[in-house]
Amino acid sequence: MHTKPLTFSSAIPEEAAPSAGALMHRRPLIYLAGLLLLTLLVGVIIWQRVMPAPAQYGMVLQSPQRATDFALASSTGGTLRLSDFRGQYLLLNFGYTSCPDVCPLMLANLAQLEAELGAQAENVQVLFVSVDPARDTPDRLTTYLSAFSPSFLGATGDEAELAAATTQFGVYYQRRQSGESENYFIDHTASVVVIDPEGYVRLFFPNGTTGAQMATDLKGMMRW
Amino acid sequence: MKVLSLWNLLLVMPVIGVLAFVIVQPVQVLPRIALAPGFALIDQDNHPLTSEDLRGHITLYTFTYTNCVAPCPQTGQTMQALQEELASLDTGGLPVRLVTVSFDPGRDTPAELSHYAQEMRANLNIWRFVTGGAAQLKQVIGGPFNTYYTQNSDGTFTFDPTFVLVDGWGIQRARYRSAMPDLGILLRDIQLLANEVHNSKGITKYAYEAAHLFLCYP
């Protein structure tokens, strides 16, 4: 029998083999699609890991100067300085224990923030500066703050000391007599100022920012 | 090869995108320099003016004293010129205020400030003249506003002529270390602040925050 050697081309029927021309046109498109997906994926990973989430609730500041040091009387006794908190995020807020609504709300939000931060709360210290030294003794501050969190610190001082601790943070306060009685209120700025571990004012939350919102911003900042 | 150059183009596109953002600067912002100080001062009508009153307002501060006569830097002229231009500025409803702070409370009583305001032809609805206690003023002006001033033995003051632009959040956005800063630049900066407030909502807010992180300032 006369057998022809089986060549490759004769073994495959003509119709079954896809035309070489058609495959050549489709290949770049497949590469393109794959590349786009890859770029998107890589881009998203980079964005998540490297870029800080933009602060959505607070204002991020880029101050070239550190906050000026100040000294106050601590609720735990002794003197407390701003420079003592280097290496931690310090959350400053201002008020007084007889404050009817704004201060308890702010402190509750800060307690919620602490809860949301979980393990990261180790790097964070909340400091409540009382603008009412006449009534807010260290003991009174400790009792008041313990209702919100055991880790909160309180501090106060005389007029000059408080000026050094409030003016630079945009905090204003003024006593207001309550009718005929000896009782008085203190109008004050209710915001939370965040000082970073190097001593720069980095973030500022207006009154009313919830704990969850502050946590979002802080976590983004800590990642960076 | 065609496929190879497409590959290159796709890799380069994100880089081009970032460069375009930086070069073209579709979004311009002023830096957030520092928090503006908290204060409670007294104005020319003997009414209090506090930092809380100015929250929500774009405010331009300057620091001087009424007995400032040449060669003392004349910052009042810039405030006057700005006062005229403010009417034509469209801030989309955001109020703009001018505040002249006197660091000479010994002579600049509210009555004196009121007289000075009249000389300046000030519109008291937008331009206020304030002062306070000497120690408090040093704390406010020398502190967060970072402006040097000192009284000389003859009663005159030596000071760095400075204007500070503060936004509605109480954040200092620009400092102009000159008695006569360019009026065009002042107006442009106020406009930039107003634009940022109006435009940085939703997804565009990310563009504004990115601008704060990446761009050089105008």
Side-chain angles (χ1 to χ4, degrees):
Chain A
M1 209 159 32
H2 185 252
T3 51
K4 233 165 93 177
L6 207 64
T7 62
F8 193 72
S9 56
S10 61
I12 304 165
E14 220 19 271
E15 319 79 58
S19 90
L23 194 62
M24 278 297 281
H25 285 300
R26 235 178 287 160
R27 209 174 284 151
L29 280 169
I30 295 171
Y31 284 160
L32 227 83
L35 196 64
L36 268 165
L37 275 165
L38 191 69
T39 313
L40 210 66
L41 194 68
V42 170
V44 168
I45 291 171
I46 291 175
W47 182 263
Q48 284 296 306
R49 292 282 161 81
V50 174
M51 301 300 186
Q56 294 151 354
Y57 307 105
M59 291 270 148
V60 177
L61 283 94
Q62 302 103 13
S63 187
Q65 273 179 303
R66 288 191 163 92
T68 312
D69 202 0
F70 59 79
L72 294 169
S74 167
S75 58
T76 56
T79 309
L80 165 165
R81 311 189 94 88
L82 177 61
S83 43
D84 295 342
F85 298 98
R86 285 285 169 85
Q88 281 185 305
Y89 284 90
L90 184 68
L91 268 56
L92 273 170
N93 63 120
F94 307 84
Y96 60 115
T97 63
S98 314
C99 173
D101 41 27
V102 172
C103 308
L105 203 62
M106 191 165 55
L107 287 164
N109 284 336
L110 285 166
Q112 193 198 351
L113 160 69
E114 207 180 32
E116 299 256 348
L117 283 177
Q120 285 178 299
E122 270 183 15
N123 299 329
V124 169
Q125 176 63 58
V126 171
L127 179 62
F128 178 73
V129 176
S130 167
V131 294
D132 188 9
R135 292 184 294 193
D136 287 344
T137 60
D139 280 339
R140 185 156 165 165
L141 278 170
T142 310
T143 314
Y144 180 72
L145 292 170
S146 61
F148 299 96
S149 165
S151 72
F152 287 5
L153 269 176
T156 191
D158 65 30
E159 218 176 287
E161 287 164 337
L162 279 175
T166 56
T167 308
Q168 62 170 313
F169 301 117
V171 172
Y172 138 83
Y173 67 96
Q174 195 148 64
R175 213 190 253 212
R176 192 164 45 90
Q177 242 12 74
S178 164
E180 290 293 313
S181 71
E182 279 198 359
N183 203 11
Y184 56 87
F185 296 108
I186 304 187
D187 293 337
H188 64 93
T189 305
S191 54
V192 177
V193 177
V194 179
I195 299 176
D196 74 4
E198 269 92 57
Y200 293 91
V201 177
R202 290 289 301 284
L203 201 45
F204 143 77
F205 294 111
N207 182 32
T209 315
T210 69
Q213 291 168 339
M214 288 194 270
T216 311
D217 283 3
L218 265 176
K219 280 185 192 168
M221 181 152 284
M222 285 183 185
R223 206 183 331 146
W224 186 242
Chain B
M1 274 222 346
K2 237 194 231 172
V3 175
L4 212 59
S5 61
L6 258 159
W7 168 277
N8 286 342
L9 190 65
L10 277 165
L11 279 176
V12 151
M13 248 157 52
V15 178
I16 292 175
V18 171
L19 277 173
F21 188 71
V22 172
I23 293 168
V24 173
Q25 291 199 0
V27 171
Q28 281 195 312
V29 289
L30 293 176
R32 299 192 189 114
I33 300 171
L35 290 168
F39 62 79
L41 300 170
I42 288 284
D43 78 359
Q44 72 284 341
D45 296 327
N46 233 319
H47 296 149
L49 180 69
T50 72
S51 47
E52 286 307 314
D53 294 332
L54 290 165
R55 217 173 269 282
H57 299 70
I58 295 172
T59 311
L60 187 71
Y61 293 85
T62 195
F63 317 98
T64 187
Y65 63 119
T66 64
N67 288 294
C68 171
V69 280
C72 174
Q74 299 294 299
T75 54
Q77 290 178 19
T78 307
M79 294 296 245
Q80 276 178 314
L82 194 61
Q83 188 185 236
E84 302 308 309
E85 294 293 326
L86 279 178
S88 55
L89 201 65
D90 176 25
T91 59
L94 285 170
V96 181
R97 293 286 178 270
L98 307 172
V99 177
T100 297
V101 185
S102 166
F103 41 63
D104 186 12
R107 286 178 293 183
D108 290 341
T109 58
E112 230 3 89
L113 289 173
S114 181
H115 181 66
Y116 181 68
Q118 280 174 359
E119 272 177 33
M120 287 280 138
R121 292 188 311 277
N123 172 0
L124 295 176
N125 288 324
I126 60 168
W127 188 1
R128 304 269 278 275
F129 299 75
V130 295
T131 193
Q136 180 198 20
L137 287 165
K138 206 31 146 169
Q139 177 88 230
V140 167
I141 302 175
F145 280 140
N146 209 357
T147 300
Y148 171 77
Y149 68 93
T150 188
Q151 191 161 25
N152 307 317
S153 48
D154 62 355
T156 61
F157 281 79
T158 302
F159 65 100
D160 283 338
T162 307
F163 290 83
V164 181
L165 188 61
V166 176
D167 68 13
W169 292 105
I171 300 178
Q172 299 181 53
R173 304 302 293 272
R175 288 194 191 127
Y176 313 89
R177 300 283 189 192
S178 159
M180 309 264 233
D182 189 316
L183 195 66
I185 291 181
L186 275 173
L187 289 166
R188 178 203 67 183
D189 287 350
I190 294 173
Q191 193 68 67
L192 282 178
L193 284 183
N195 290 346
E196 185 170 5
V197 170
H198 289 301
N199 298 337
S200 67
K201 288 177 168 51
I203 200 74
T204 55
K205 181 162 185 178
Y206 286 82
Y208 276 87
E209 291 302 316
H212 275 290
L213 288 171
F214 292 119
L215 300 185
C216 300
Y217 298 108

